[in-house]
Amino acid sequence: MRKTVVSGALALAACVTLLFAQGPPPGAAKGKEKAPEPCERVCLEAFVTQYLEALVAHNPFGLPLASRVKFTENDQVLDLGDGLWNVTTGIGKYKSMVSDPQSQQVGFLGTVLANDRPTTLALRLKLENRKISEIETLVNVSNPPVPTAGAAALDALALDPLWLQAETQRSTREQLIAAANTYFDALESSNPGLAQFDPQCRRVENGVGKADDCANEIRSRMLSNFQVVYPRRIPVVDEERQLVFGFFMHQQSGDVLQVESPGRPAYKFPEASSQPAFVEAAQVFKLTGGRIRRIESITSVLPYGTPNPFFGDDWRRAKK
């Protein structure tokens, strides 16, 4: 009997040894895999390039996607692959990117071809473990569909070398966000003294440079049809290049029909600017020495009261 027990024990030990040699069975849980390294600038910008190529190919599922992806176009939550994905036929010439390794996000301003018509596009991608979890887009569309002047102007614009310039004198992330917000404080109050403007500050909107410097444009009150800019979302901050990228909702109540400013004749707003609407702007701010040097934006008109899917609060805020 004892000999039988010993023989059985030896046989069991031999089986266990064989099982360990073969490894775990198919489908068995593996040890926790090491998370991939976070993306730096080159990696983040490569995701934008990959996204644009997938857009032209009408194939979003060739992208490295997280298990859950939130995709919006002009503040509407859509199925990934819908909207602009249906009509993109090419990539435009202008490409401006803002990379934020800390938040694993990247912003893009540029142009694409929608059914061969130039169209401006703002894009924000957020990554988790090198997979895309958020896609936010702002597209300047026209009805009836014609090539937008803004897209053509932007494509003809050369990328300002200032955008690529690393700054030795750097503001902190919090200081950069605060400085960008001073622009909107100034805009709401028509008071350029509230903004941290560099004397050489200039603004470009949809590829068109403004004649006035930033302070004079605010002083002229030509933007006072926007009495509230809210929400103000700044998800992407490039500390090395001192760039801030965000989405800002310019609320146009429609009750400001005419303005007067010192040294200028009274200005009557055009019909489009004197009716309720939201104008969302994807904007990049370049700061030098802690002051706003350049502002570049792409805008799109949305129905008044359109909520932002990435903003967790109500868009309503009292006028100043």
Side-chain angles (χ1 to χ4, degrees):
M1 178 69 177
R2 184 173 180 275
K3 183 177 180 181
T4 303
V5 171
V6 171
S7 299
L10 290 173
L12 178 61
C15 288
V16 171
T17 301
L18 180 61
L19 284 172
F20 273 103
Q22 291 176 338
K30 297 181 180 179
K32 187 176 180 181
E33 295 182 3
K34 184 180 179 181
E37 292 294 322
C39 263
E40 297 300 326
R41 181 183 307 281
V42 173
C43 171
L44 288 166
E45 294 182 357
F47 269 89
V48 173
T49 300
Q50 191 174 0
Y51 181 89
L52 295 174
E53 290 173 349
L55 193 62
V56 175
H58 306 267
N59 179 24
F61 301 106
L63 293 169
L65 301 173
S67 57
R68 292 187 178 182
V69 182
K70 188 173 186 178
F71 168 61
T72 67
E73 183 176 299
N74 291 359
D75 287 351
Q76 302 299 312
V77 178
L78 301 177
D79 292 333
L80 185 58
D82 207 349
L84 190 65
W85 284 89
N86 295 318
V87 296
T88 302
T89 52
I91 303 172
K93 298 176 183 178
Y94 191 79
K95 299 181 182 69
S96 176
M97 300 191 202
V98 180
S99 301
D100 185 352
Q102 180 174 322
S103 72
Q104 288 294 279
Q105 298 187 74
V106 58
F108 165 86
L109 297 183
T111 56
V112 296
L113 300 178
N115 286 329
D116 300 327
R117 295 183 295 268
T119 301
T120 55
L121 169 67
L123 166 70
R124 177 184 66 87
L125 299 177
K126 182 176 181 180
L127 307 184
E128 294 179 7
N129 294 324
R130 297 204 177 203
K131 293 186 176 181
I132 300 171
S133 61
E134 292 182 2
I135 304 169
E136 183 174 8
T137 61
L138 186 68
V139 182
N140 192 328
V141 294
S142 58
N143 191 16
V146 295
T148 63
L154 197 59
D155 257 352
L157 198 66
L159 181 64
D160 191 332
L162 195 64
W163 297 111
L164 306 178
Q165 178 178 301
E167 300 292 333
T168 53
Q169 183 182 346
R170 298 179 185 174
S171 300
T172 65
R173 186 182 195 89
E174 292 73 22
Q175 289 170 333
L176 290 168
I177 292 172
N181 268 304
T182 66
Y183 169 76
F184 300 106
D185 294 338
L187 189 154
E188 288 180 343
S189 304
S190 297
N191 179 4
L194 297 178
Q196 294 176 209
F197 286 138
D198 182 280
Q200 300 182 62
C201 178
R202 293 292 185 277
R203 188 174 74 91
V204 175
E205 181 179 327
N206 295 331
V208 179
K210 301 305 172 181
D212 282 333
D213 62 53
C214 296
N216 276 332
E217 185 181 32
I218 295 291
R219 191 177 292 111
S220 73
R221 303 190 66 200
M222 301 287 280
L223 298 173
S224 60
N225 55 312
F226 303 118
Q227 295 180 287
V228 175
V229 182
Y230 188 79
R232 309 175 187 178
R233 297 175 45 250
I234 302 177
V236 186
V237 179
D238 185 333
E239 295 184 63
E240 179 185 4
R241 294 179 178 173
Q242 297 285 278
L243 297 171
V244 172
F245 174 96
F247 293 87
F248 309 94
M249 193 66 78
H250 296 62
Q251 299 184 22
Q252 180 176 279
S253 58
D255 55 357
V256 179
L257 306 180
Q258 182 174 302
V259 294
E260 295 182 5
S261 56
R264 296 174 183 250
Y267 176 74
K268 185 177 181 180
F269 285 103
E271 183 179 352
S273 300
S274 56
Q275 56 186 353
F278 273 8
V279 178
E280 186 162 23
Q283 287 185 286
V284 180
F285 293 81
K286 169 68 177 184
L287 282 86
T288 56
R291 308 195 74 81
I292 302 170
R293 178 74 176 274
R294 291 284 188 275
I295 305 171
E296 182 177 313
S297 67
I298 286 176
T299 63
S300 188
V301 180
L302 306 179
Y304 186 82
T306 300
N308 185 284
F310 293 100
F311 183 62
D313 203 351
D314 200 309
W315 58 265
R316 296 168 183 83
R317 198 184 78 181
K319 298 177 185 177
K320 289 188 176 181

